[in-house]
Amino acid sequence: MSAAVKTIVEMMASWPVEDQEELSELAREIEARRTGVYRLSEEERAAIDAARRGPLAADDEVEAFWKRRGRA
């Protein structure tokens, strides 16, 4: 680990949680770019789970969506 990274890690221990989470998100994006694999945060995972439990779009809504995009 470089000296600059060590310094940042030490400094961020005193940062507010929101700032630490922001830095964590940036690090996940860098890792995804390097490896081609994106790891969901717990917040992202919860949002996806909530969306899956939600109501599905009605057939006419889906048809209208695709018509607006010239696909139907």
Side-chain angles (χ1 to χ4, degrees):
M1 184 181 308
S2 73
V5 172
K6 288 180 184 180
T7 300
I8 291 293
V9 169
E10 290 171 5
M11 289 174 22
M12 73 179 219
S14 65
W15 292 1
V17 172
E18 296 82 21
D19 292 344
Q20 291 179 22
E21 287 299 319
E22 183 179 353
L23 183 61
S24 175
E25 177 61 29
L26 291 171
R28 278 195 298 275
E29 289 176 13
I30 292 169
E31 182 64 12
R33 186 179 67 235
R34 292 179 69 251
T35 64
V37 176
Y38 182 80
R39 305 268 185 226
L40 294 174
S41 69
E42 290 305 315
E43 184 177 283
E44 291 167 326
R45 189 176 309 282
I48 291 169
D49 289 343
R52 285 182 174 157
R53 289 190 301 272
L56 297 175
D59 289 342
D60 59 337
E61 293 173 316
V62 173
E63 186 177 333
F65 171 86
W66 288 117
K67 279 184 180 178
R68 286 192 302 272
R69 283 151 184 82
R71 304 273 187 189

